[in-house]
Amino acid sequence: SVYTYLGVIGSGSGMALVTCAIQLITPLLLLYNNMLQSDGDPTTRFYVNTDTAMPLEGRFFPSTDWERFCNKGGRIEGKILIVCVLLIYLLSVVPDSLISFFRVSGGAPQTYSKINSLRLLVWEQANDTVFQQVGYKVDRYMNTGYICILYCIMLFCLLNTPNVLDIILNALAINYIHRIDENLADADWWDQGNRFIRAGTLELVLQGVLRLRVMENPAKFCAEYDI
């Protein structure tokens, strides 16, 4: 992803910042929109004052009227579609998320996982630059905790979306938001032939072996090698 490039090479912070902003702001806007939905229909699951666009009695949470939710909470087509979407995520997203956690930990055989393992070594030695440190941490968080939070927001939005078309659009939007950083990094104009990531990986090897922070300071060099 673009965060991996920032963590390995230490450059591309502008694109990483824009991508991170999109991935954080868009789900929050979807969540906020779903929490404030109200069209005056008595079957609406949220009580909202349409004049002030604020929930009545200060409530931002769904109604606990389960009788209305089960029997009058939307069309049967929408409920069936929600069940189908949940099954798809159960069979595909959950295993993919578990594999993503394993890759981020550095124990998988994929190239990305090997780079993460090398990246962790350089992090522990404190031989990386500030931008590399930021990119490394953002890459880890966006591929672990962020995914869990994102799909929790998605489930909340889907279960409170009465329109069948909105269910499909919200599911597609969340899936696209999840992978936008990877889609950008896979684009032909980003790094054709993976030249930059290969050069960055070689630089990581040098950073891990040469101890550049020690070599650039005479006092640290003498203390490290007892000279």
Side-chain angles (χ1 to χ4, degrees):
S1 70
V2 294
Y3 309 122
T4 306
Y5 277 83
L6 179 61
V8 172
I9 303 174
S11 61
S13 57
M15 181 62 71
L17 179 62
V18 172
T19 305
C20 186
I22 293 174
Q23 289 187 304
L24 293 178
I25 294 175
T26 307
L28 294 178
L29 291 177
L30 286 175
L31 177 62
Y32 184 77
N33 180 67
N34 274 268
M35 295 172 73
L36 294 182
Q37 279 184 4
S38 176
D39 54 4
D41 192 327
T43 62
T44 302
R45 299 190 189 101
F46 293 91
Y47 302 106
V48 181
N49 186 334
T50 55
D51 295 330
T52 60
M54 291 299 292
L56 297 180
E57 301 177 6
R59 288 183 295 180
F60 261 114
F61 299 97
S63 168
T64 54
D65 189 347
W66 299 111
E67 176 69 20
R68 183 173 63 182
F69 176 82
C70 296
N71 299 329
K72 302 178 183 178
R75 298 167 56 186
I76 185 64
E77 296 90 340
K79 294 180 180 180
I80 293 175
L81 187 57
I82 288 177
V83 172
C84 293
V85 172
L86 293 179
L87 287 176
I88 291 174
Y89 282 119
L90 180 63
L91 297 176
S92 63
V93 174
V94 174
D96 288 345
S97 299
L98 293 176
I99 293 175
S100 177
F101 274 66
F102 188 51
R103 287 201 303 263
V104 170
S105 67
Q110 290 89 353
T111 303
Y112 171 74
S113 184
K114 298 297 183 182
I115 293 176
N116 272 334
S117 180
L118 178 61
R119 189 65 193 80
L120 177 61
L121 176 64
V122 177
W123 168 272
E124 292 176 343
Q125 294 179 352
N127 285 328
D128 42 6
T129 64
V130 175
F131 285 109
Q132 284 179 317
Q133 293 173 359
V134 172
Y136 172 64
K137 282 301 181 180
V138 172
D139 189 26
R140 290 181 69 90
Y141 292 144
M142 296 299 284
N143 283 284
T144 52
Y146 171 77
I147 297 176
C148 299
I149 297 174
L150 181 65
Y151 282 107
C152 287
I153 293 176
M154 182 215 66
L155 292 177
F156 181 87
C157 293
L158 290 182
L159 293 174
N160 292 281
T161 301
N163 188 281
V164 176
L165 181 60
D166 288 343
I167 294 174
I168 299 176
L169 294 178
N170 285 342
L172 292 176
I174 292 296
N175 187 64
Y176 176 76
I177 294 168
H178 170 205
R179 302 186 181 277
I180 187 173
D181 58 316
E182 299 173 1
N183 293 335
L184 286 173
D186 290 337
D188 293 335
W189 56 267
W190 179 259
D191 183 16
Q192 192 172 11
N194 295 324
R195 294 179 300 167
F196 294 113
I197 196 66
R198 291 178 181 176
T201 304
L202 180 59
E203 183 180 359
L204 282 181
V205 175
L206 295 177
Q207 286 177 291
V209 174
L210 294 181
R211 307 290 300 276
L212 299 180
R213 293 284 180 88
V214 175
M215 297 179 66
E216 69 184 5
N217 189 308
K220 290 183 180 180
F221 183 84
C222 294
E224 179 71 21
Y225 297 101
D226 195 20
I227 296 176

